[in-house]
Amino acid sequence: MKRTLFAASALLLSGSLAQANEGQWQPAQLAKLGDQLQEVGISLSAEQLANPLAFPLNAVTSLGYCSGAFISPDGLIITNHHCGYGMVQHNSSADNNLIDKGFIAKARSEELPGGPQERIYITRAIDDVTQEVLAQVGDKTGKARFNAIEDATKTLIKACESDAFTRCQVRSFHGGLSYQRITQTMFKDVRLVYAPPAAIGKFGGDVDNFEWPRHTGDFTLLRVYVDNNGQPAEYSPDNRPFNAKHFLHINGNGIREGDGILLAGYPGSTSRYRLASEVTYAKDWLYPTQAADYRQTLAIIDQQSQGHPDWAVAYASTVASANNRLKKLEGLMDGFKHTDIAAIKARKEAELPSQARLQTLEAALTKAQPQWQRQWYQQQARRSALLDTAIALYRNALERQKPDSERKAGFQDRDQAMLAGAVKRLDSRFVPQVDQAIWQAKLTAYLASRYRDPALDALLPIKDGKADLASLYQHSTLVDNQARLALLTAAPATFEQSQDPLLKLAVALLPRVLADEAEEEQTDGQLSSLRPAYMEDIIAFNEARGLPVYPDANGTLRVTYGSVDGYTPRDAVRYRPFTSVDGILEKEGEGDFAVPAPLKAAIQARRFGDYEKDSLSPIPKWYCGLVPCQDPEPFNSVPVAFLSSADTTGGNSGSPVMDGQGRLVGLNFDSTYESITKDWYFNPEITRAIHVDIRYVLWLLESVYPAPNLLDEMVIEKE
C-alpha cells in the first residue's frame, strides 16, 4: 500500500512520465545498463538480456526486412501486417483478393506458402572479427580497400556456413571501426497463417501513416516449417511446424501508462553519427529527389492499373512500400524545417578537440556527392524491373564461370536460391505494360537532366532523342516467367548470341554497370578508411560527456527500452498514450477509413469481454480519495495502439514490445510524425514509437475474426 501510494505521488509530481530513451543497444552492451533498466521497471536481469541465445532475445526473429517473435511452441510468429503484406499479395488475385478480405487458416493444412524469397532468421552466434578483417585490409584505401574487406568477409562467411540453412553475415560497426560475424539459422518454409482484412491491418492507410492517434491493427501471423527431422528445409507439404524452444508468453492484461517496456528487433539503418554536411545533402537534394521519384512512380502505377484489378494486386506490395517511404521522406523534410539538425551537428563538430579527421572526411564527401548525383540519374535511365532481371541473369552466367570464392558477393553458390526466388517472385509482382511506363518516365527524366552521357546514350533505347521502348517489350521472351527461369543456369553464350532485344541490351549495358559499380566501390573504400578515424573522435567526445555510445543501426539484433507515455507535439497539445476501438468508429469514412462490418458490429454491441479496460492510468481509483488530485480519466474500451519512449527505426517493424518480465504486450509498427528525424538526431522530448496493443490483437482473434485454434496454442497470462 505504501509503495503504491509513493509511486502514484511520484507520477503526479513528475507531470510527464518519461522522456524518450535513446539507444539502439547491442545485446552485449545491456550488461552495463542494469540500473537504467530497473529504473523503468524491467525486472529481467541485464545479464540475461545481454545474452542473445537466452530468453527473451532467442524468441526474436528477423524476416530480413522486418522483425517478429515466436509466440507458441509450434513455430507461430507474430509480425506486422505490412511486413507480411508481400506474402498476402503473393497469394492474392483479382478473384481471390486476400489483401481486402483477409485470411484465416482454420487448420494447419490450410496455411499458405509465403513465397519463394521469404525467410525467417534466428541469431545463434555473434562473434567479433575485427582483427580478421583489418589484418587483410591493412593500410589499403579506395577500391583496393573495398575489395580487401569483401574478400575477408567472403572468407569469414565461407568458414561459418556449414550447411545450406546456416546463414552468416559480416557487419561493420561505427563506420568500419569494428566488425562482427552474425551466425543465423535460416528457415525457408514460411507460411501465412492469419492476416486481418486490409481495412484493419492498414486502417487509415497512408493518411494516418506516421500519425497519432492511430487505430491500425497492424499484425499478421506466420509459421515456420521444418522437415521430419526438425531441420530447416525447402517447402514441402510433408514438412511439420518448427518446435520453438523459446517463445514469448502473452500478457493478456496488457500494460498501463508509465509501465516500462523492452523492445527487441533488427533495425535497418540510422545516420546519427553522420556529418552536418551529410544532413544538408539529404535535405537539399537527396530526399526531395527521391520523394519526387516516388510520387511519379506511384502516379504511373495508379494510372496504368485503372480498369485492371489484377494489375493493382500485382503492384499492391510495391505501392504500399513506396507510399510508406514517401510519407517518411516528407516527414524528414518537414522535420529538417522545424529543427535545424545540420546546425546542431555543426555545433557538436566544432567542439571536437581535433578537427583534422573531420576535415579529411568532409573533403572526401564533398568530392563524392556530385558523383552520387550523376550516378542516380544515369541509373534511372535503365530503371526497369525486366531489364534489371536480364542484367542480373547475364552477370550471374558470367560469375558462375569463376571459382565460387572469386565471384562477386550476391552471385556465389550461397546466393543462387535467393536469386531464383527473385526471378520467380517477379511473376506475381510484374506487368509488362506498367514496367514499360515506369521505365519510359525514368529514361525521359534522364534525357532531360544535365547528367546525360553520350557513351551511355549510345547504348540506350533512344530514337530521335526520345525513349523508344515498345519494341523491346513486344519482341522479348523475358515477359514470360518460364523464359526467365530457364536463364538461371544458362551459359554466357546464350545471352551473347541471343537476338532477344532485352537480352542484347543487357549484354551491351553490363560493362557500363560494372564500371559504375567500380566507381562506387572506389568511393566506398575511401570513406571506409576515413570514417572509423572520425568515429574514434566522436566516441571519445561522447564518453567524456556521459552521452550514449552505441553503433548506428545496421540490420543486426538490437534492444531498446522505455516507458508507455504520451507527448506534447506543439503548444497546448498533449497526446495521451492509448487509443481505443471507439476511435475507429469516430474515424469511419470512405476508402482507407472504411470499417469492416464484423468489427463495427462488435464495437457497437460493446462485445469486449475481458479486453475492456475501465482505466489505463497508473493512478489507482482510490488514490484521489486520500490525496487531493484529479480522478483518473476513464477508458472503458479495448486499447488499439499505444505510445512508448523506445528508440526505433525502419526494420523494427514487427519488433515485439515486452513488459518488464519479457511477456508480449504489443508490436512496434510505426513512429509519430514528429519523430521521423530521429534517424539523424534523437530528440527525447518528442520521440515516440507506435505499437499495436496485444489486447486488440487478442480481441480480434477471439471475438471479431475468430481463430480459436491459434489462441489455443499461445500461452496467455491474465493475473
Side-chain angles (χ1 to χ4, degrees):
M1 175 77 170
K2 289 182 179 179
R3 184 173 182 177
T4 304
L5 188 65
F6 175 79
S9 300
L11 287 167
L12 282 172
L13 292 171
S14 68
S16 176
L17 295 172
Q19 284 193 335
N21 298 83
E22 180 179 359
Q24 294 179 347
W25 304 100
Q26 295 177 270
Q29 292 183 285
L30 295 173
K32 298 180 180 180
L33 298 176
D35 291 343
Q36 293 93 317
L37 292 167
Q38 287 185 6
E39 186 177 338
V40 299
I42 306 302
S43 58
L44 295 172
S45 72
E47 291 73 22
Q48 180 178 351
L49 291 172
N51 184 357
L53 306 185
F55 179 85
L57 294 190
N58 59 358
V60 180
T61 65
S62 169
L63 282 72
Y65 49 87
C66 278
S67 304
F70 286 114
I71 56 169
S72 93
D74 291 338
L76 190 67
I77 288 175
I78 190 166
T79 187
N80 286 152
H81 181 270
H82 74 262
C83 295
Y85 198 79
M87 301 186 212
V88 181
Q89 181 268 336
H90 175 75
N91 287 285
S92 294
S93 65
D95 296 329
N96 184 31
N97 192 333
L98 301 183
I99 297 171
D100 289 343
K101 68 182 185 181
F103 173 74
I104 305 173
K106 297 294 186 181
R108 290 178 183 175
S109 59
E110 298 177 6
E111 296 173 358
L112 299 173
Q117 276 193 300
E118 299 303 335
R119 305 286 189 270
I120 293 293
Y121 302 90
I122 303 173
T123 296
R124 67 176 197 242
I126 301 174
D127 299 302
D128 187 279
V129 293
T130 305
Q131 290 186 353
E132 290 90 331
V133 174
L134 296 184
Q136 190 159 337
V137 171
D139 59 357
K140 297 182 180 73
T141 189
K143 183 76 163 66
R145 184 181 182 88
F146 183 95
N147 290 344
I149 293 172
E150 185 175 73
D151 289 344
T153 296
K154 289 193 292 186
T155 298
L156 288 163
I157 288 174
K158 184 175 179 61
C160 173
E161 293 186 343
S162 55
D163 58 72
F165 296 96
T166 295
R167 197 71 172 179
C168 302
Q169 54 185 312
V170 174
R171 293 294 176 95
S172 68
F173 294 80
H174 292 306
L177 190 59
S178 64
Y179 292 84
Q180 291 181 0
R181 181 174 62 189
I182 318 297
T183 305
Q184 296 178 312
T185 299
M186 176 177 68
F187 298 91
K188 296 175 70 173
D189 190 349
V190 183
R191 305 189 193 181
L192 179 65
V193 177
Y194 184 106
I200 291 176
K202 285 189 65 181
F203 181 77
D206 297 304
V207 174
D208 262 10
N209 197 14
F210 293 109
E211 301 292 346
W212 187 261
R214 198 70 173 276
H215 298 84
T216 308
D218 197 347
F219 78 99
T220 290
L221 299 177
L222 313 173
R223 196 184 305 278
V224 170
Y225 278 75
V226 292
D227 65 20
N228 288 325
N229 295 316
Q231 298 302 309
E234 301 287 343
Y235 171 83
S236 169
D238 297 326
N239 286 347
R240 60 180 178 81
F242 170 64
N243 179 19
K245 182 179 179 181
H246 294 284
F247 60 94
L248 299 183
H249 293 197
I250 296 171
N251 181 350
N253 286 329
I255 49 175
R256 293 176 174 269
E257 186 173 3
D259 284 353
I261 60 98
L262 279 169
L263 187 151
Y266 292 81
S269 65
T270 52
S271 304
R272 292 183 187 163
Y273 299 105
R274 296 301 172 107
L275 306 190
S277 64
E278 292 179 277
V279 176
T280 301
Y281 174 74
K283 175 175 67 72
D284 292 347
W285 185 82
L286 181 61
Y287 289 168
T289 303
Q290 289 178 335
D293 180 64
Y294 279 118
R295 292 188 194 100
Q296 182 188 56
T297 301
L298 287 165
I300 292 169
I301 295 172
D302 180 64
Q303 181 185 41
Q304 291 289 317
S305 299
Q306 296 296 321
H308 299 280
D310 51 336
W311 295 10
V313 169
Y315 280 87
S317 184
T318 301
V319 167
S321 177
N323 270 318
N324 182 66
R325 182 59 186 163
L326 175 59
K327 186 72 175 281
K328 182 170 184 177
L329 287 168
E330 291 171 340
L332 284 162
M333 291 186 288
D334 282 348
F336 288 152
K337 292 176 184 176
H338 295 145
T339 304
D340 193 346
I341 296 175
I344 293 171
K345 286 183 174 287
R347 287 194 294 270
K348 184 173 182 178
E349 290 166 10
E351 294 177 16
L352 291 173
S354 173
Q355 296 288 304
R357 290 168 162 179
L358 167 64
Q359 291 169 357
T360 303
L361 177 58
E362 189 81 74
L365 288 166
T366 300
K367 181 180 178 181
Q369 287 167 359
Q371 170 197 320
W372 294 334
Q373 293 173 331
R374 169 176 51 80
Q375 287 183 334
W376 192 88
Y377 277 101
Q378 292 178 358
Q379 288 167 5
Q380 290 287 87
R382 55 177 193 266
R383 176 89 168 273
S384 156
L386 201 58
L387 178 60
D388 284 346
T389 301
I391 292 172
L393 288 168
Y394 177 45
R395 184 171 188 182
N396 187 55
L398 293 172
E399 294 287 345
R400 288 175 62 244
Q401 305 304 303
K402 307 174 186 177
D404 190 61
S405 62
E406 297 177 14
R407 297 184 202 172
K408 190 69 177 174
F411 297 95
Q412 294 181 282
D413 287 341
R414 68 191 293 270
D415 305 309
Q416 294 300 306
M418 190 63 81
L419 179 60
V423 174
K424 292 175 184 176
R425 190 173 69 168
L426 193 64
D427 191 43
S428 62
R429 296 193 177 188
F430 162 82
V431 176
Q433 293 89 332
V434 179
D435 193 58
Q436 179 182 331
I438 293 172
W439 189 8
Q440 182 86 22
K442 307 309 177 185
L443 179 51
T444 300
Y446 159 74
L447 293 174
S449 77
R450 62 187 179 92
Y451 296 104
R452 286 187 64 173
D453 180 347
L456 178 59
D457 287 4
L459 301 173
L460 292 168
I462 301 171
K463 184 177 181 180
D464 298 328
K466 297 181 180 180
D468 182 28
L469 306 177
S471 62
L472 291 177
Y473 287 85
Q474 290 171 2
H475 300 108
S476 178
T477 60
L478 289 184
V479 296
D480 177 69
N481 192 49
Q482 292 304 313
R484 295 192 295 267
L485 291 172
L487 292 171
L488 282 165
T489 55
T494 301
F495 295 83
E496 293 157 1
Q497 297 170 11
S498 175
Q499 295 305 304
D500 185 293
L502 267 171
L503 289 182
K504 290 176 69 175
L505 181 58
V507 170
L509 280 172
L510 183 59
R512 178 60 182 250
V513 171
L514 296 179
D516 288 347
E517 183 180 274
E519 185 180 31
E520 291 177 17
E521 291 174 354
Q522 168 70 22
T523 301
D524 289 347
Q526 183 183 15
L527 293 176
S528 74
S529 66
L530 300 177
R531 209 177 285 276
Y534 167 71
M535 283 306 305
E536 287 181 332
D537 290 347
I538 286 291
I539 290 171
F541 178 88
N542 284 354
E543 287 179 339
R545 287 157 179 77
L547 299 173
V549 177
Y550 55 89
D552 265 322
N554 62 355
T556 57
L557 181 61
R558 303 295 179 93
V559 181
T560 178
Y561 61 90
S563 302
V564 178
D565 189 26
Y567 72 109
T568 301
R570 54 191 177 275
D571 184 43
V573 176
R574 175 72 183 174
Y575 282 145
R576 296 165 59 192
F578 287 96
T579 59
S580 75
V581 293
D582 296 289
I584 295 173
L585 297 189
E586 292 174 4
K587 286 184 175 179
E588 184 181 15
E590 300 294 326
D592 290 331
F593 292 93
V595 180
L599 177 59
K600 184 174 182 178
I603 297 171
Q604 289 178 328
R606 316 302 289 177
R607 199 167 62 245
F608 297 154
D610 293 341
Y611 300 109
E612 180 175 10
K613 299 300 170 184
D614 58 355
S615 173
L616 293 173
S617 169
I619 303 171
K621 289 183 178 180
W622 51 261
Y623 181 77
C624 291
L626 300 177
V627 177
C629 67
Q630 185 175 354
D631 287 337
E633 191 166 350
F635 192 78
N636 297 327
S637 191
V638 177
V640 173
F642 66 94
L643 297 171
S644 86
S645 59
D647 186 355
T648 64
T649 190
N652 274 127
S653 291
S655 290
V657 184
M658 297 166 277
D659 65 13
Q661 300 176 48
R663 298 176 300 180
L664 186 68
V665 294
L667 280 182
N668 184 70
F669 74 94
D670 210 349
S671 296
T672 58
Y673 197 74
E674 296 81 8
S675 301
I676 292 177
T677 51
K678 66 184 173 182
D679 282 0
W680 290 88
Y681 169 72
F682 192 90
N683 183 342
E685 299 289 342
I686 59 172
T687 297
R688 293 294 183 270
I690 305 176
H691 319 297
V692 61
D693 196 299
I694 199 63
R695 290 166 290 197
Y696 183 50
V697 174
L698 294 173
W699 179 65
L700 290 170
L701 290 171
E702 184 176 302
S703 301
V704 184
Y705 290 91
N709 54 314
L710 301 178
L711 289 170
D712 286 345
E713 63 180 281
M714 304 175 194
V715 178
I716 303 170
E717 299 179 1
K718 296 183 180 180
E719 297 173 352

